[in-house]
Amino acid sequence: MENTCPQCKSELSWKDQGYFCDYCQQVVTKTAFCPDCSEQLEKLQACGSASYFCNYCNELKSKSLVKIVFNKAID
């Protein structure tokens, strides 16, 4: 999956612990949503790997199935 800016579609870079579009000069947030109920997922990180948990469905979700959305960060 590519990490692209929601505005200009340029590749995002990693800067100051978050995503940044060098072209638009804006901070971008990455949010994951459940493929079954569309609720926002909680990202769990352990032992170098990341998983996603849906509090609504009360179960882990496959990283390959979650819907990732990039949005311009609110100032």
Side-chain angles (χ1 to χ4, degrees):
M1 184 184 116
E2 291 184 29
N3 298 326
T4 57
C5 174
Q7 186 170 323
C8 71
K9 305 301 181 206
S10 295
E11 184 73 21
L12 296 172
S13 60
W14 187 254
K15 181 178 180 180
D16 299 325
Q17 304 298 322
Y19 290 98
F20 187 77
C21 179
D22 293 315
Y23 184 79
C24 295
Q25 294 295 300
Q26 67 183 9
V27 176
V28 178
T29 60
K30 179 180 179 180
T31 309
F33 294 93
C34 179
D36 299 319
C37 70
S38 299
E39 291 291 321
Q40 187 171 337
L41 297 174
E42 181 179 348
K43 186 175 183 179
L44 307 173
Q45 293 216 213
C47 302
S49 68
S51 299
Y52 292 94
F53 184 79
C54 180
N55 289 306
Y56 187 79
C57 297
N58 199 32
E59 62 186 15
L60 285 172
K61 298 296 177 173
S62 171
K63 185 168 65 171
S64 63
L65 297 177
V66 300
K67 181 181 179 188
I68 301 294
V69 176
F70 288 95
N71 289 303
K72 179 181 175 185
I74 299 171
D75 296 330

PDB file of all heavy atoms in Angstrom, residues 9-42:
ATOM      1  N   LYS A   9      -1.686  13.735  -4.005  1.00  0.00           N
ATOM      2  CA  LYS A   9      -1.330  12.346  -4.348  1.00  0.00           C
ATOM      3  C   LYS A   9       0.173  12.092  -4.410  1.00  0.00           C
ATOM      4  O   LYS A   9       0.616  11.076  -4.922  1.00  0.00           O
ATOM      5  CB  LYS A   9      -1.989  11.904  -5.668  1.00  0.00           C
ATOM      6  CG  LYS A   9      -3.491  12.074  -5.695  1.00  0.00           C
ATOM      7  CD  LYS A   9      -4.171  11.302  -4.600  1.00  0.00           C
ATOM      8  CE  LYS A   9      -5.675  11.469  -4.675  1.00  0.00           C
ATOM      9  NZ  LYS A   9      -6.330  11.299  -3.406  1.00  0.00           N
ATOM     10  N   SER A  10       0.988  13.004  -3.863  1.00  0.00           N
ATOM     11  CA  SER A  10       2.434  12.793  -3.775  1.00  0.00           C
ATOM     12  C   SER A  10       2.735  11.786  -2.681  1.00  0.00           C
ATOM     13  O   SER A  10       1.953  11.616  -1.735  1.00  0.00           O
ATOM     14  CB  SER A  10       3.152  14.102  -3.439  1.00  0.00           C
ATOM     15  OG  SER A  10       3.013  15.032  -4.470  1.00  0.00           O
ATOM     16  N   GLU A  11       3.878  11.144  -2.774  1.00  0.00           N
ATOM     17  CA  GLU A  11       4.312  10.195  -1.751  1.00  0.00           C
ATOM     18  C   GLU A  11       4.595  10.947  -0.449  1.00  0.00           C
ATOM     19  O   GLU A  11       5.245  11.994  -0.451  1.00  0.00           O
ATOM     20  CB  GLU A  11       5.576   9.465  -2.219  1.00  0.00           C
ATOM     21  CG  GLU A  11       6.060   8.390  -1.289  1.00  0.00           C
ATOM     22  CD  GLU A  11       5.191   7.145  -1.289  1.00  0.00           C
ATOM     23  OE1 GLU A  11       4.443   6.920  -2.253  1.00  0.00           O
ATOM     24  OE2 GLU A  11       5.279   6.387  -0.308  1.00  0.00           O
ATOM     25  N   LEU A  12       4.086  10.425   0.659  1.00  0.00           N
ATOM     26  CA  LEU A  12       4.296  11.053   1.959  1.00  0.00           C
ATOM     27  C   LEU A  12       5.645  10.649   2.534  1.00  0.00           C
ATOM     28  O   LEU A  12       6.131   9.545   2.293  1.00  0.00           O
ATOM     29  CB  LEU A  12       3.189  10.645   2.931  1.00  0.00           C
ATOM     30  CG  LEU A  12       1.781  11.086   2.569  1.00  0.00           C
ATOM     31  CD1 LEU A  12       0.770  10.440   3.510  1.00  0.00           C
ATOM     32  CD2 LEU A  12       1.655  12.598   2.606  1.00  0.00           C
ATOM     33  N   SER A  13       6.228  11.540   3.315  1.00  0.00           N
ATOM     34  CA  SER A  13       7.466  11.213   4.015  1.00  0.00           C
ATOM     35  C   SER A  13       7.166  11.106   5.504  1.00  0.00           C
ATOM     36  O   SER A  13       6.100  11.517   5.972  1.00  0.00           O
ATOM     37  CB  SER A  13       8.528  12.290   3.745  1.00  0.00           C
ATOM     38  OG  SER A  13       8.086  13.552   4.185  1.00  0.00           O
ATOM     39  N   TRP A  14       8.110  10.540   6.255  1.00  0.00           N
ATOM     40  CA  TRP A  14       7.955  10.391   7.693  1.00  0.00           C
ATOM     41  C   TRP A  14       8.773  11.495   8.351  1.00  0.00           C
ATOM     42  O   TRP A  14       9.977  11.603   8.135  1.00  0.00           O
ATOM     43  CB  TRP A  14       8.462   9.018   8.122  1.00  0.00           C
ATOM     44  CG  TRP A  14       8.185   8.708   9.547  1.00  0.00           C
ATOM     45  CD1 TRP A  14       9.093   8.700  10.566  1.00  0.00           C
ATOM     46  CD2 TRP A  14       6.929   8.352  10.129  1.00  0.00           C
ATOM     47  NE1 TRP A  14       8.485   8.360  11.743  1.00  0.00           N
ATOM     48  CE2 TRP A  14       7.144   8.142  11.504  1.00  0.00           C
ATOM     49  CE3 TRP A  14       5.648   8.197   9.628  1.00  0.00           C
ATOM     50  CZ2 TRP A  14       6.133   7.785  12.379  1.00  0.00           C
ATOM     51  CZ3 TRP A  14       4.638   7.841  10.493  1.00  0.00           C
ATOM     52  CH2 TRP A  14       4.883   7.632  11.850  1.00  0.00           C
ATOM     53  N   LYS A  15       8.109  12.355   9.133  1.00  0.00           N
ATOM     54  CA  LYS A  15       8.793  13.504   9.720  1.00  0.00           C
ATOM     55  C   LYS A  15       8.187  13.799  11.086  1.00  0.00           C
ATOM     56  O   LYS A  15       6.962  13.887  11.212  1.00  0.00           O
ATOM     57  CB  LYS A  15       8.621  14.711   8.791  1.00  0.00           C
ATOM     58  CG  LYS A  15       9.295  15.969   9.232  1.00  0.00           C
ATOM     59  CD  LYS A  15       9.076  17.050   8.185  1.00  0.00           C
ATOM     60  CE  LYS A  15       9.733  18.341   8.586  1.00  0.00           C
ATOM     61  NZ  LYS A  15       9.514  19.387   7.586  1.00  0.00           N
ATOM     62  N   ASP A  16       9.021  13.965  12.092  1.00  0.00           N
ATOM     63  CA  ASP A  16       8.571  14.298  13.448  1.00  0.00           C
ATOM     64  C   ASP A  16       7.498  13.337  13.958  1.00  0.00           C
ATOM     65  O   ASP A  16       6.441  13.750  14.439  1.00  0.00           O
ATOM     66  CB  ASP A  16       8.070  15.743  13.516  1.00  0.00           C
ATOM     67  CG  ASP A  16       9.144  16.754  13.163  1.00  0.00           C
ATOM     68  OD1 ASP A  16      10.317  16.515  13.502  1.00  0.00           O
ATOM     69  OD2 ASP A  16       8.804  17.786  12.565  1.00  0.00           O
ATOM     70  N   GLN A  17       7.726  12.049  13.800  1.00  0.00           N
ATOM     71  CA  GLN A  17       6.826  10.995  14.288  1.00  0.00           C
ATOM     72  C   GLN A  17       5.458  10.978  13.598  1.00  0.00           C
ATOM     73  O   GLN A  17       4.461  10.556  14.183  1.00  0.00           O
ATOM     74  CB  GLN A  17       6.629  11.115  15.811  1.00  0.00           C
ATOM     75  CG  GLN A  17       7.910  11.092  16.608  1.00  0.00           C
ATOM     76  CD  GLN A  17       8.686   9.799  16.456  1.00  0.00           C
ATOM     77  OE1 GLN A  17       8.107   8.735  16.390  1.00  0.00           O
ATOM     78  NE2 GLN A  17       9.998   9.885  16.389  1.00  0.00           N
ATOM     79  N   GLY A  18       5.397  11.436  12.347  1.00  0.00           N
ATOM     80  CA  GLY A  18       4.136  11.407  11.611  1.00  0.00           C
ATOM     81  C   GLY A  18       4.357  11.572  10.121  1.00  0.00           C
ATOM     82  O   GLY A  18       5.474  11.797   9.658  1.00  0.00           O
ATOM     83  N   TYR A  19       3.288  11.464   9.363  1.00  0.00           N
ATOM     84  CA  TYR A  19       3.365  11.607   7.912  1.00  0.00           C
ATOM     85  C   TYR A  19       3.332  13.081   7.523  1.00  0.00           C
ATOM     86  O   TYR A  19       2.654  13.898   8.157  1.00  0.00           O
ATOM     87  CB  TYR A  19       2.203  10.876   7.238  1.00  0.00           C
ATOM     88  CG  TYR A  19       2.328   9.382   7.328  1.00  0.00           C
ATOM     89  CD1 TYR A  19       1.655   8.662   8.299  1.00  0.00           C
ATOM     90  CD2 TYR A  19       3.149   8.693   6.436  1.00  0.00           C
ATOM     91  CE1 TYR A  19       1.784   7.290   8.392  1.00  0.00           C
ATOM     92  CE2 TYR A  19       3.285   7.316   6.527  1.00  0.00           C
ATOM     93  CZ  TYR A  19       2.599   6.621   7.504  1.00  0.00           C
ATOM     94  OH  TYR A  19       2.739   5.273   7.595  1.00  0.00           O
ATOM     95  N   PHE A  20       4.068  13.417   6.446  1.00  0.00           N
ATOM     96  CA  PHE A  20       4.175  14.795   5.999  1.00  0.00           C
ATOM     97  C   PHE A  20       4.263  14.819   4.480  1.00  0.00           C
ATOM     98  O   PHE A  20       4.954  14.008   3.876  1.00  0.00           O
ATOM     99  CB  PHE A  20       5.437  15.441   6.602  1.00  0.00           C
ATOM    100  CG  PHE A  20       5.557  16.907   6.327  1.00  0.00           C
ATOM    101  CD1 PHE A  20       4.806  17.824   7.041  1.00  0.00           C
ATOM    102  CD2 PHE A  20       6.405  17.369   5.337  1.00  0.00           C
ATOM    103  CE1 PHE A  20       4.913  19.184   6.786  1.00  0.00           C
ATOM    104  CE2 PHE A  20       6.521  18.720   5.068  1.00  0.00           C
ATOM    105  CZ  PHE A  20       5.775  19.633   5.799  1.00  0.00           C
ATOM    106  N   CYS A  21       3.524  15.762   3.860  1.00  0.00           N
ATOM    107  CA  CYS A  21       3.613  15.947   2.413  1.00  0.00           C
ATOM    108  C   CYS A  21       4.588  17.086   2.145  1.00  0.00           C
ATOM    109  O   CYS A  21       4.318  18.238   2.510  1.00  0.00           O
ATOM    110  CB  CYS A  21       2.242  16.276   1.817  1.00  0.00           C
ATOM    111  SG  CYS A  21       2.315  16.555   0.026  1.00  0.00           S
ATOM    112  N   ASP A  22       5.701  16.765   1.516  1.00  0.00           N
ATOM    113  CA  ASP A  22       6.708  17.778   1.213  1.00  0.00           C
ATOM    114  C   ASP A  22       6.205  18.777   0.169  1.00  0.00           C
ATOM    115  O   ASP A  22       6.565  19.944   0.199  1.00  0.00           O
ATOM    116  CB  ASP A  22       8.003  17.108   0.724  1.00  0.00           C
ATOM    117  CG  ASP A  22       8.669  16.304   1.824  1.00  0.00           C
ATOM    118  OD1 ASP A  22       8.773  16.820   2.949  1.00  0.00           O
ATOM    119  OD2 ASP A  22       9.073  15.162   1.554  1.00  0.00           O
ATOM    120  N   TYR A  23       5.364  18.324  -0.734  1.00  0.00           N
ATOM    121  CA  TYR A  23       4.844  19.197  -1.788  1.00  0.00           C
ATOM    122  C   TYR A  23       3.830  20.206  -1.233  1.00  0.00           C
ATOM    123  O   TYR A  23       3.920  21.396  -1.482  1.00  0.00           O
ATOM    124  CB  TYR A  23       4.202  18.364  -2.905  1.00  0.00           C
ATOM    125  CG  TYR A  23       3.737  19.184  -4.074  1.00  0.00           C
ATOM    126  CD1 TYR A  23       4.639  19.631  -5.030  1.00  0.00           C
ATOM    127  CD2 TYR A  23       2.394  19.518  -4.224  1.00  0.00           C
ATOM    128  CE1 TYR A  23       4.217  20.399  -6.103  1.00  0.00           C
ATOM    129  CE2 TYR A  23       1.963  20.289  -5.278  1.00  0.00           C
ATOM    130  CZ  TYR A  23       2.878  20.725  -6.228  1.00  0.00           C
ATOM    131  OH  TYR A  23       2.458  21.492  -7.272  1.00  0.00           O
ATOM    132  N   CYS A  24       2.870  19.742  -0.464  1.00  0.00           N
ATOM    133  CA  CYS A  24       1.822  20.617   0.102  1.00  0.00           C
ATOM    134  C   CYS A  24       2.265  21.290   1.400  1.00  0.00           C
ATOM    135  O   CYS A  24       1.587  22.200   1.879  1.00  0.00           O
ATOM    136  CB  CYS A  24       0.559  19.808   0.400  1.00  0.00           C
ATOM    137  SG  CYS A  24      -0.250  19.118  -1.040  1.00  0.00           S
ATOM    138  N   GLN A  25       3.365  20.792   1.976  1.00  0.00           N
ATOM    139  CA  GLN A  25       3.859  21.302   3.253  1.00  0.00           C
ATOM    140  C   GLN A  25       2.797  21.176   4.346  1.00  0.00           C
ATOM    141  O   GLN A  25       2.496  22.129   5.062  1.00  0.00           O
ATOM    142  CB  GLN A  25       4.333  22.758   3.115  1.00  0.00           C
ATOM    143  CG  GLN A  25       5.539  22.931   2.242  1.00  0.00           C
ATOM    144  CD  GLN A  25       6.776  22.268   2.832  1.00  0.00           C
ATOM    145  OE1 GLN A  25       7.208  22.609   3.918  1.00  0.00           O
ATOM    146  NE2 GLN A  25       7.337  21.300   2.126  1.00  0.00           N
ATOM    147  N   GLN A  26       2.206  19.982   4.452  1.00  0.00           N
ATOM    148  CA  GLN A  26       1.179  19.755   5.461  1.00  0.00           C
ATOM    149  C   GLN A  26       1.364  18.413   6.157  1.00  0.00           C
ATOM    150  O   GLN A  26       1.868  17.465   5.565  1.00  0.00           O
ATOM    151  CB  GLN A  26      -0.215  19.832   4.852  1.00  0.00           C
ATOM    152  CG  GLN A  26      -0.531  18.729   3.875  1.00  0.00           C
ATOM    153  CD  GLN A  26      -1.908  18.899   3.248  1.00  0.00           C
ATOM    154  OE1 GLN A  26      -2.560  19.912   3.403  1.00  0.00           O
ATOM    155  NE2 GLN A  26      -2.352  17.887   2.527  1.00  0.00           N
ATOM    156  N   VAL A  27       0.935  18.365   7.417  1.00  0.00           N
ATOM    157  CA  VAL A  27       0.944  17.132   8.195  1.00  0.00           C
ATOM    158  C   VAL A  27      -0.284  16.326   7.800  1.00  0.00           C
ATOM    159  O   VAL A  27      -1.363  16.871   7.603  1.00  0.00           O
ATOM    160  CB  VAL A  27       0.928  17.446   9.710  1.00  0.00           C
ATOM    161  CG1 VAL A  27       0.830  16.173  10.524  1.00  0.00           C
ATOM    162  CG2 VAL A  27       2.160  18.250  10.099  1.00  0.00           C
ATOM    163  N   VAL A  28      -0.100  15.015   7.673  1.00  0.00           N
ATOM    164  CA  VAL A  28      -1.185  14.124   7.253  1.00  0.00           C
ATOM    165  C   VAL A  28      -1.347  13.022   8.295  1.00  0.00           C
ATOM    166  O   VAL A  28      -0.358  12.473   8.782  1.00  0.00           O
ATOM    167  CB  VAL A  28      -0.882  13.515   5.862  1.00  0.00           C
ATOM    168  CG1 VAL A  28      -1.953  12.548   5.431  1.00  0.00           C
ATOM    169  CG2 VAL A  28      -0.706  14.612   4.829  1.00  0.00           C
ATOM    170  N   THR A  29      -2.593  12.716   8.651  1.00  0.00           N
ATOM    171  CA  THR A  29      -2.865  11.647   9.609  1.00  0.00           C
ATOM    172  C   THR A  29      -3.285  10.379   8.876  1.00  0.00           C
ATOM    173  O   THR A  29      -3.866  10.440   7.797  1.00  0.00           O
ATOM    174  CB  THR A  29      -3.981  12.043  10.594  1.00  0.00           C
ATOM    175  OG1 THR A  29      -5.164  12.318   9.864  1.00  0.00           O
ATOM    176  CG2 THR A  29      -3.581  13.248  11.422  1.00  0.00           C
ATOM    177  N   LYS A  30      -2.965   9.253   9.476  1.00  0.00           N
ATOM    178  CA  LYS A  30      -3.331   7.947   8.932  1.00  0.00           C
ATOM    179  C   LYS A  30      -4.302   7.287   9.905  1.00  0.00           C
ATOM    180  O   LYS A  30      -4.003   7.161  11.094  1.00  0.00           O
ATOM    181  CB  LYS A  30      -2.078   7.085   8.780  1.00  0.00           C
ATOM    182  CG  LYS A  30      -2.340   5.701   8.234  1.00  0.00           C
ATOM    183  CD  LYS A  30      -1.027   4.936   8.122  1.00  0.00           C
ATOM    184  CE  LYS A  30      -1.223   3.542   7.612  1.00  0.00           C
ATOM    185  NZ  LYS A  30       0.046   2.805   7.496  1.00  0.00           N
ATOM    186  N   THR A  31      -5.482   6.902   9.403  1.00  0.00           N
ATOM    187  CA  THR A  31      -6.505   6.285  10.241  1.00  0.00           C
ATOM    188  C   THR A  31      -6.946   4.983   9.603  1.00  0.00           C
ATOM    189  O   THR A  31      -7.127   4.912   8.387  1.00  0.00           O
ATOM    190  CB  THR A  31      -7.723   7.232  10.390  1.00  0.00           C
ATOM    191  OG1 THR A  31      -7.260   8.514  10.794  1.00  0.00           O
ATOM    192  CG2 THR A  31      -8.694   6.711  11.427  1.00  0.00           C
ATOM    193  N   ALA A  32      -7.142   3.950  10.429  1.00  0.00           N
ATOM    194  CA  ALA A  32      -7.589   2.641   9.943  1.00  0.00           C
ATOM    195  C   ALA A  32      -9.039   2.413  10.359  1.00  0.00           C
ATOM    196  O   ALA A  32      -9.435   2.752  11.475  1.00  0.00           O
ATOM    197  CB  ALA A  32      -6.709   1.546  10.521  1.00  0.00           C
ATOM    198  N   PHE A  33      -9.816   1.821   9.444  1.00  0.00           N
ATOM    199  CA  PHE A  33     -11.219   1.530   9.703  1.00  0.00           C
ATOM    200  C   PHE A  33     -11.508   0.049   9.487  1.00  0.00           C
ATOM    201  O   PHE A  33     -10.913  -0.590   8.616  1.00  0.00           O
ATOM    202  CB  PHE A  33     -12.119   2.374   8.793  1.00  0.00           C
ATOM    203  CG  PHE A  33     -12.043   3.841   9.090  1.00  0.00           C
ATOM    204  CD1 PHE A  33     -11.162   4.657   8.417  1.00  0.00           C
ATOM    205  CD2 PHE A  33     -12.841   4.401  10.075  1.00  0.00           C
ATOM    206  CE1 PHE A  33     -11.071   6.013   8.693  1.00  0.00           C
ATOM    207  CE2 PHE A  33     -12.768   5.754  10.372  1.00  0.00           C
ATOM    208  CZ  PHE A  33     -11.882   6.562   9.674  1.00  0.00           C
ATOM    209  N   CYS A  34     -12.437  -0.475  10.263  1.00  0.00           N
ATOM    210  CA  CYS A  34     -12.817  -1.881  10.219  1.00  0.00           C
ATOM    211  C   CYS A  34     -13.471  -2.217   8.872  1.00  0.00           C
ATOM    212  O   CYS A  34     -14.356  -1.494   8.422  1.00  0.00           O
ATOM    213  CB  CYS A  34     -13.783  -2.172  11.364  1.00  0.00           C
ATOM    214  SG  CYS A  34     -14.359  -3.884  11.403  1.00  0.00           S
ATOM    215  N   PRO A  35     -13.064  -3.327   8.257  1.00  0.00           N
ATOM    216  CA  PRO A  35     -13.673  -3.723   6.985  1.00  0.00           C
ATOM    217  C   PRO A  35     -15.100  -4.255   7.147  1.00  0.00           C
ATOM    218  O   PRO A  35     -15.848  -4.327   6.180  1.00  0.00           O
ATOM    219  CB  PRO A  35     -12.739  -4.819   6.472  1.00  0.00           C
ATOM    220  CG  PRO A  35     -12.121  -5.388   7.710  1.00  0.00           C
ATOM    221  CD  PRO A  35     -12.004  -4.243   8.672  1.00  0.00           C
ATOM    222  N   ASP A  36     -15.493  -4.601   8.384  1.00  0.00           N
ATOM    223  CA  ASP A  36     -16.818  -5.178   8.618  1.00  0.00           C
ATOM    224  C   ASP A  36     -17.852  -4.149   9.075  1.00  0.00           C
ATOM    225  O   ASP A  36     -18.970  -4.124   8.580  1.00  0.00           O
ATOM    226  CB  ASP A  36     -16.725  -6.299   9.654  1.00  0.00           C
ATOM    227  CG  ASP A  36     -15.818  -7.427   9.184  1.00  0.00           C
ATOM    228  OD1 ASP A  36     -15.890  -7.788   7.989  1.00  0.00           O
ATOM    229  OD2 ASP A  36     -15.032  -7.929  10.000  1.00  0.00           O
ATOM    230  N   CYS A  37     -17.451  -3.280  10.032  1.00  0.00           N
ATOM    231  CA  CYS A  37     -18.441  -2.335  10.591  1.00  0.00           C
ATOM    232  C   CYS A  37     -18.104  -0.871  10.314  1.00  0.00           C
ATOM    233  O   CYS A  37     -18.867   0.008  10.669  1.00  0.00           O
ATOM    234  CB  CYS A  37     -18.575  -2.555  12.095  1.00  0.00           C
ATOM    235  SG  CYS A  37     -17.120  -2.029  13.040  1.00  0.00           S
ATOM    236  N   SER A  38     -16.948  -0.603   9.723  1.00  0.00           N
ATOM    237  CA  SER A  38     -16.486   0.747   9.355  1.00  0.00           C
ATOM    238  C   SER A  38     -16.147   1.648  10.543  1.00  0.00           C
ATOM    239  O   SER A  38     -15.962   2.844  10.374  1.00  0.00           O
ATOM    240  CB  SER A  38     -17.508   1.449   8.456  1.00  0.00           C
ATOM    241  OG  SER A  38     -17.686   0.717   7.272  1.00  0.00           O
ATOM    242  N   GLU A  39     -16.045   1.088  11.740  1.00  0.00           N
ATOM    243  CA  GLU A  39     -15.627   1.867  12.912  1.00  0.00           C
ATOM    244  C   GLU A  39     -14.108   2.047  12.883  1.00  0.00           C
ATOM    245  O   GLU A  39     -13.388   1.237  12.300  1.00  0.00           O
ATOM    246  CB  GLU A  39     -16.025   1.151  14.210  1.00  0.00           C
ATOM    247  CG  GLU A  39     -17.510   1.108  14.458  1.00  0.00           C
ATOM    248  CD  GLU A  39     -18.102   2.473  14.770  1.00  0.00           C
ATOM    249  OE1 GLU A  39     -17.448   3.274  15.488  1.00  0.00           O
ATOM    250  OE2 GLU A  39     -19.221   2.739  14.288  1.00  0.00           O
ATOM    251  N   GLN A  40     -13.630   3.109  13.520  1.00  0.00           N
ATOM    252  CA  GLN A  40     -12.192   3.357  13.589  1.00  0.00           C
ATOM    253  C   GLN A  40     -11.528   2.276  14.432  1.00  0.00           C
ATOM    254  O   GLN A  40     -12.045   1.889  15.485  1.00  0.00           O
ATOM    255  CB  GLN A  40     -11.918   4.731  14.181  1.00  0.00           C
ATOM    256  CG  GLN A  40     -10.459   5.104  14.128  1.00  0.00           C
ATOM    257  CD  GLN A  40     -10.212   6.553  14.512  1.00  0.00           C
ATOM    258  OE1 GLN A  40     -11.100   7.388  14.415  1.00  0.00           O
ATOM    259  NE2 GLN A  40      -9.012   6.836  14.950  1.00  0.00           N
ATOM    260  N   LEU A  41     -10.380   1.795  13.977  1.00  0.00           N
ATOM    261  CA  LEU A  41      -9.654   0.727  14.661  1.00  0.00           C
ATOM    262  C   LEU A  41      -8.571   1.276  15.571  1.00  0.00           C
ATOM    263  O   LEU A  41      -8.049   2.369  15.344  1.00  0.00           O
ATOM    264  CB  LEU A  41      -9.010  -0.209  13.633  1.00  0.00           C
ATOM    265  CG  LEU A  41      -9.966  -0.956  12.711  1.00  0.00           C
ATOM    266  CD1 LEU A  41      -9.176  -1.715  11.656  1.00  0.00           C
ATOM    267  CD2 LEU A  41     -10.847  -1.895  13.504  1.00  0.00           C
ATOM    268  N   GLU A  42      -8.233   0.492  16.572  1.00  0.00           N
ATOM    269  CA  GLU A  42      -7.138   0.808  17.467  1.00  0.00           C
ATOM    270  C   GLU A  42      -5.906   0.050  16.983  1.00  0.00           C
ATOM    271  O   GLU A  42      -5.978  -1.155  16.709  1.00  0.00           O
ATOM    272  CB  GLU A  42      -7.503   0.351  18.873  1.00  0.00           C
ATOM    273  CG  GLU A  42      -6.474   0.644  19.902  1.00  0.00           C
ATOM    274  CD  GLU A  42      -6.907   0.182  21.286  1.00  0.00           C
ATOM    275  OE1 GLU A  42      -8.091  -0.157  21.480  1.00  0.00           O
ATOM    276  OE2 GLU A  42      -6.034   0.151  22.164  1.00  0.00           O
TER     277      GLU A  42
END
